[in-house]
Amino acid sequence: MSFLRASDLPTSYVSYDLETTGLGPQAQIIEIGAVRVIDRGEDERFDTFVALDEGVHIEPGAARLTHISEDMLAGAPSVEEAYRQFAEFVGDYPLVGQNIRRFDNAFVNRAARRAQLPSVVQNGCYDTMLLFRKVVGGPANLAAICQYYGIQNEQAHRAWADARATSDCYLAILHDAESLTVEARGADAPVVAHELDGEVVCFTGNTREYPKLMCETLAVRHGALLAHKVSHRTTLLVCLEPHETNNVRRARQLGCPMMAGEEFLGRLGLTSEDLRRR
C-alpha cells in the first residue's frame, strides 16, 4: 500500500458522475450529475439529462442499471449544451470521481471537443477508486467503498446520487489520509523512558483528572508517536473519558487495542495523583 499525503488532496472540488448508453467506446452520455464542495462543505448540485444523437439508443443493460428510458431524455439539452452548463458549474475546481480516469474523463473530453471548449479534466482529477486502494486497499468499486465507510447511496447508478456518494467517500478517504499522518506533538519534550517505544498512540477525551495534553506529552516522553485519529497504523487508543466517540468506534472496527487513562498511566508506573503533582 503506497503512502498518500493528505496535503496533496483538495478540500474544495467538484465530484461528478456520468450515466451513458453503454460501456463501449461509442457510448454516449445520457446524464451528468455533480456536487460542488467548498472547504469540505456541500455548496451546490448539478444534474441534467443529455439528449441522444439521432439513431443512438440506450443499451438494454444500461437501461436496466440506470432506470433511464429514452422517453426521459426528450427535450434534454444536446451533449454540447450539457457540457457547456457542466463546465460553467465546475469552473476552476478540480474533479473528484469514481473510476473517472479509466471511464468518465474520456466522455468529458469528447463532449468538450464537440462543444469546442477546453476540457474541465485539465483542472486536475482525483479518483476515489485509486485513492481508496492507496489508503485502505481491497475492493474499490463505489458500492464497496460506501459499505466500508457506512455511506448510504439510495439511488445507485443515477449520476447525481453517485456523485454525492462519491463525494462522501472522498471526504472519508481524506479523513483517513489525514489520520495516517502521525506526528509527535510535544516532541520537544525529551524522551526519558521507553515503555512506549514503537507505539503509535491516539488519545480521545479530555478531563480534569486526565488532561489530554499532559497525557500526550507523557506518551512522547516515554517513546510514543502520536496520532490525531485512529487509523490502521494506530497501535493503542487511550480513552480519557468513558464516552463513545468516532475514535472508539473506529478502533473497535479495526481491532485496535484500547485502554482507560488509569491503565495508561499504570503502564508508565504513574497514577492520576502523579498528574496532579506535575
Side-chain angles (χ1 to χ4, degrees), residues 166-207:
T166 298
S167 177
D168 290 343
C169 289
Y170 173 80
L171 290 173
I173 293 168
L174 176 59
H175 181 283
D176 269 0
E178 289 171 336
S179 72
L180 289 171
T181 305
V182 178
E183 62 181 49
R185 290 167 296 188
D188 54 334
V191 175
V192 298
H194 300 277
E195 293 91 343
L196 299 177
D197 280 359
E199 296 275 18
V200 178
V201 183
C202 178
F203 291 86
T204 185
N206 187 29
T207 66

Side-chain angles (χ1 to χ4, degrees), residues 185-194 216-224 278:
R185 290 167 296 188
D188 54 334
V191 175
V192 298
H194 300 277
E216 288 179 332
T217 302
L218 276 173
V220 172
R221 290 178 65 114
H222 287 256
R278 289 173 181 266

Side-chain angles (χ1 to χ4, degrees), residues 160-259:
W160 153 245
D162 281 356
R164 189 175 205 177
T166 298
S167 177
D168 290 343
C169 289
Y170 173 80
L171 290 173
I173 293 168
L174 176 59
H175 181 283
D176 269 0
E178 289 171 336
S179 72
L180 289 171
T181 305
V182 178
E183 62 181 49
R185 290 167 296 188
D188 54 334
V191 175
V192 298
H194 300 277
E195 293 91 343
L196 299 177
D197 280 359
E199 296 275 18
V200 178
V201 183
C202 178
F203 291 86
T204 185
N206 187 29
T207 66
R208 178 173 295 182
E209 186 176 15
Y210 299 105
K212 184 176 183 181
L213 182 59
M214 187 175 291
C215 289
E216 288 179 332
T217 302
L218 276 173
V220 172
R221 290 178 65 114
H222 287 256
L225 292 175
L226 299 183
H228 290 291
K229 300 178 179 67
V230 172
S231 74
H232 292 274
R233 294 179 61 186
T234 309
T235 61
L236 176 64
L237 175 66
V238 180
C239 305
L240 301 177
E241 51 186 309
H243 295 308
E244 185 84 357
T245 66
N246 288 335
N247 275 323
V248 170
R249 287 188 285 271
R250 183 69 167 151
R252 193 177 294 121
Q253 179 187 20
L254 296 177
C256 176
M258 292 184 279
M259 64 174 58

